[in-house]
Structure formats: structure tokens, C-alpha cells
């Protein structure tokens, strides 16, 4: 008499969940998205401070990274997002807000880059894009801390690198196509500066925008006779600066997304401070806003008192402002009250103005 026996086979090990984008796993998608968001924020902020020489590359990198987020969005929605929403936690709505904000920021960048919409005043596509970018920072920190995805050596396999290359390559192709289409159909985005800014009111100072950093409000009385300008500890009348001023063509490229070229009546700082001491020169506004400049740059940076032969307007920094050719708007200090040698090196200043 034979006894039948049943064999119980052990279940095969479960394969890691793969996303529909090739062979990337859910954790690989999450890691890649975190890296892309961090790099997008970093290149966006760096473009404010880099000169014209590097700004084109940073603008390209920033645009490609933003489009990479959109390329990966379907994969994120099909995998990690769907899994996460099955968990009944209130924080899933915070995660959803984070994701929506990332997508909105990327879309606003595209809207600005193509010139489809400029917005109204401060609420332009680019200003809103930047505002959303700053709001993303605390949400990104919360997301990384509350949902840590610790990188593993196995996350960086050959397939992952190939798929990552495909994502970035696809985004780069979209970036080039976006520029080509904008030029072909006559959108404003086809004629931007390398910084991504649009030309406004060049050689027409009356119509040049008046923009200040955050709450950098102009002083009440900007008349030259009432102004106190101190250079290396000595009070210098504004009319004395006028006597030395000569025309200098320079482009003011605002981080708000516009640029304007004017013929400024200005004097190089090298003439006003021929023998600076310390390690830098501090230029301070009546509002408390300041920037530090290295001695080697003083021949290219100027104090301006007018443009086109007429005095500066109050909104443009009257009666004295700084012009810094080749640098973005935050370096162009308005309503200058003092220019002094300083012991601080020029690189030791806040990456963002704090006043």
C-alpha cells in the first residue's frame, strides 16, 4: 500500500517592485526625484549669482532638470504615489501638496521659457516659479526626513544609470524642442537672453521696470542735495560724482525675468577708491542692503548717478546706485550711501540678500 505524499514548494523570493519606466524600482525613482529636485533648486539659485559667463550653462541645466521632473512624473504616479495613498495617513495630503507644488513650479518655468504668459507685476510666471521654489525647500526637507530612502550600492546598477541617462536625455531633447518651437512659431521665448530674461525698454529709462529685492523700500527723500554719500569715511557730494561721470553701456538683468540696456552716467569704483584696503569693498544702501566686491572687480563696477544724461529716477536707485556689468540684478545696489574698504572676503556674504 503506497501512501501519497504532497510536496510543498517554497515560494520564490519576491522581486522588487519595478516601475513601468524600464527597470527602475520605486526606491530608485524616489532617489532620482530627490536628487533632481535638489539640483534644480541649486542651479536656480546659482543662476542668480553667476555672471554672464556661466549663466547660460546654469539656465540650460536648470531647464533640463525641470523637464526631467515632468518626464518622471507618470512613473511616480503609477508606482510610489499609488502605493503611498493606500496608507491612511494624514501626511499623505502633505506629500500630495509637495508633488503638486513640484509640478506647478516646473510648468511655470516652461510658461516663462516659452513666453506664453508673463503675468502681472510681481505675480509674473517667473516670480511665481521662484516663490514656489522657495516653498519647496521646507517641504523637501520634511519629505526626506520623514520618508528617508537610504541609498544602496545596488541602486546604482547599470540599468539604473542607463534609465537615468534616458530620462535626462529625453528632457534635454524636450528643452531643445521647446526652444526650436518657440522660435519657429514666433513666441517671445525664442528671443531670450542666455539667462532666460526678456528685453524690456532698452535705452528708454522712463519705461524700465522698477523692482526691489523683497521689501527693499526706497527712501522718502532722494534729492541729490539731501543725500549723504560716504566714500572711505569722507562725505562726497553727489554733484562731485556727476562731474566725474561718463557714459557706460551696461545691461541690468533682473532675476524677475527681464533685462534692459541703458547708457548710464557713471564712475568706476577704481577711480573713487584708488587704493582700497582690507579684502573687499562694501557697498551699502540706505535700506541696509549691502554687497561686497573684490578689489580686482573695481574697474568694472561703477557708481551711477544718471542715464542718458538725465538723473536717476527714485525707483531706479536715485540719486546714486551701483551698476555691475555682467552680474544679475541683486548685485546692483540701489540708493547707495556708503562705499568702504572692508576686511571681509567678497565670498563671505549671504548667498541671498537678507535685507
Amino acid at each position: 500500500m503506497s501512501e501519497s505524499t504532497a510536496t510543498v514548494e517554497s515560494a520564490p523570493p519576491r522581486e522588487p517592485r519595478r516601475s513601468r519606466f524600464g527597470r527602475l524600482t520605486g526606491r530608485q525613482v524616489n532617489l532620482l526625484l530627490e536628487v533632481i529636485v535638489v539640483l534644480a533648486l541649486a542651479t536656480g539659485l546659482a543662476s542668480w549669482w553667476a555672471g554672464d559667463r556661466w549663466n547660460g550653462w546654469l539656465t540650460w541645466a536648470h531647464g533640463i532638470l525641470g523637464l526631467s521632473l515632468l518626464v518622471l512624473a507618470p512613473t511616480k504616479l503609477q508606482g510610489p504615489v499609488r502605493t503611498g495613498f493606500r496608507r491612511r495617513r494624514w501626511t499623505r495630503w502633505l506629500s500630495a501638496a509637495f508633488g503638486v507644488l513640484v509640478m506647478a513650479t516646473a510648468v511655470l518655468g516652461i510658461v516663462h521659457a516659452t513666453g506664453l504668459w508673463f503675468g502681472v507685476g510681481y505675480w509674473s510666471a517667473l516670480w511665481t516659479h521662484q516663490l514656489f521654489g522657495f516653498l519647496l525647500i521646507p517641504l523637501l526637507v520634511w519629505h526626506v526626513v520623514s520618508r528617508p530612502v537610504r541609498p544602496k550600492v545596488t541602486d546604482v546598477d547599470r540599468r539604473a544609470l542607463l534609465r537615468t541617462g534616458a530620462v535626462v536625455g529625453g528632457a534635454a531633447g524636450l528643452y531643445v524642442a521647446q526652444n526650436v518651437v518657440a522660435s519657429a512659431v514666433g513666441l517671445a521665448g525664442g528671443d531670450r537672453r542666455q539667462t532666460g530674461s526678456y528685453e524690456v525698454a532698452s535705452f528708454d529709462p522712463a519705461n524700465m521696470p522698477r523692482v526691489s529685492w523683497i521689501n527693499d523700500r526706497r527712501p522718502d527723500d532722494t534729492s541729490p542735495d539731501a543725500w549723504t554719500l560716504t566714500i572711505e569715511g569722507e562725505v562726497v557730494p553727489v554733484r562731485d560724482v556727476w562731474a566725474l561721470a561718463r557714459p557706460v553701456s551696461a545691461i541690468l538683468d533682473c532675476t524677475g525675468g527681464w533685462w534692459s540696456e541703458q547708457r548710464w552716467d557713471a564712475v568706476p569704483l577704481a577711480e573713487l577708491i584708488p587704493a582700497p584696503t582690507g579684502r573687499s569693498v562694501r557697498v551699502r544702501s540706505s535700506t541696509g542692503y549691502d554687497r561686497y566686491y573684490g578689489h580686482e572687480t573695481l574697474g568694472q563696477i561703477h557708481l551711477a548717478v544718471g542715464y542718458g544724461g538725465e538723473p536717476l529716477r527714485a525707483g531706479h536707485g536715485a540719486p546714486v546706485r551701483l551698476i555691475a556689468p555682467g552680474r544679475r540684478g541683486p548685485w546692483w545696489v540701489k540708493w547707495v550711501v556708503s562705499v568702504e574698504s572692508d576686511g571681509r572676503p567678497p565670498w563671505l556674504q549671504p548667498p541671498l540678500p537678507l535685507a
Side-chain angles (χ1 to χ4, degrees):
M1 183 176 178
S2 63
E3 182 176 351
S4 62
T5 60
T7 60
V8 179
E9 297 183 0
S10 60
R14 178 178 294 181
E15 290 289 330
R17 176 182 281 275
R18 302 281 180 179
S19 71
R20 295 186 182 181
F21 191 89
R23 300 281 294 177
L24 286 178
T25 65
R27 68 176 280 112
Q28 286 173 330
V29 171
N30 286 333
L31 284 169
L32 183 56
L33 283 170
E34 288 177 2
V35 170
I36 290 175
V37 170
V38 169
L39 290 177
L41 289 169
T43 52
L45 291 174
S47 69
W48 285 18
W49 303 108
D52 288 352
R53 180 180 178 184
W54 298 106
N55 224 295
W57 293 104
L58 286 169
T59 301
W60 269 72
H62 185 68
I64 291 171
L65 288 165
L67 289 170
S68 297
L69 294 173
L70 296 182
V71 171
L72 276 173
T75 306
K76 177 72 172 177
L77 290 172
Q78 293 166 2
V81 169
R82 180 180 297 178
T83 302
F85 259 82
R86 290 173 182 162
R87 300 168 185 160
R88 301 294 182 180
R89 296 183 299 190
W90 70 270
T91 54
R92 70 185 188 276
W93 300 110
L94 198 56
S95 297
F98 175 57
V100 169
L101 197 59
V102 168
M103 292 298 102
T105 305
V107 169
L108 283 167
I110 295 173
V111 169
H112 169 78
T114 55
L116 290 172
W117 179 65
F118 294 98
V120 179
Y122 279 100
W123 295 110
S124 65
L126 187 60
W127 271 111
T128 312
H129 169 83
Q130 293 165 350
L131 173 63
F132 284 3
F134 281 111
L135 293 176
L136 278 174
I137 295 174
L139 284 174
L140 175 63
V141 172
W142 166 80
H143 192 273
V144 171
V145 171
S146 64
R147 291 166 173 75
V149 182
R150 294 179 177 82
K152 299 178 180 178
V153 175
T154 54
D155 292 326
V156 191
D157 57 21
R158 185 175 64 87
R159 286 192 180 92
L161 291 175
L162 289 174
R163 300 306 177 187
T164 299
V167 170
V168 177
L174 289 175
Y175 188 84
V176 172
Q178 166 189 284
N179 292 335
V180 170
V181 171
S183 297
V185 302
L187 293 176
D191 188 26
R192 294 184 298 152
R193 202 162 181 258
Q194 71 269 22
T195 59
S197 298
Y198 295 92
E199 188 275 333
V200 177
S202 287
F203 304 107
D204 182 14
N207 291 309
M208 187 172 67
R210 298 168 177 82
V211 179
S212 298
W213 175 258
I214 308 179
N215 62 342
D216 223 7
R217 299 184 63 183
R218 71 188 187 200
D220 295 329
D221 189 352
T222 60
S223 61
D225 293 336
W227 201 257
T228 301
L229 172 64
T230 303
I231 299 178
E232 292 288 66
E234 296 185 6
V235 176
V236 177
V238 176
R239 63 177 174 271
D240 288 359
V241 181
W242 261 109
L244 298 171
R246 54 186 178 271
V248 177
S249 291
I251 294 175
L252 170 55
D253 194 327
C254 180
T255 53
W258 58 270
W259 67 268
S260 186
E261 184 175 6
Q262 307 295 338
R263 286 181 64 81
W264 307 86
D265 300 305
V267 186
L269 288 189
E271 291 186 15
L272 298 172
I273 309 180
T277 58
R279 303 177 67 182
S280 66
V281 169
R282 179 193 184 200
V283 179
R284 186 171 64 87
S285 168
S286 64
T287 65
Y289 177 72
D290 59 7
R291 292 282 95 186
Y292 296 80
Y293 303 86
H295 295 168
E296 72 283 356
T297 67
L298 301 186
Q300 294 79 45
I301 297 173
H302 303 67
L303 277 188
V305 289
Y307 32 32
E310 63 180 78
L312 295 171
R313 290 166 173 79
H316 293 155
V320 185
R321 75 167 302 159
L322 195 77
I323 63 171
R327 301 196 186 207
R328 301 298 297 278
W331 293 95
W332 293 50
V333 182
K334 297 198 289 187
W335 310 301
V336 174
V337 293
S338 70
V339 182
E340 309 283 351
S341 294
D342 197 274
R344 177 186 303 196
W347 53 265
L348 188 59
Q349 56 188 326
L352 292 174
L354 300 179

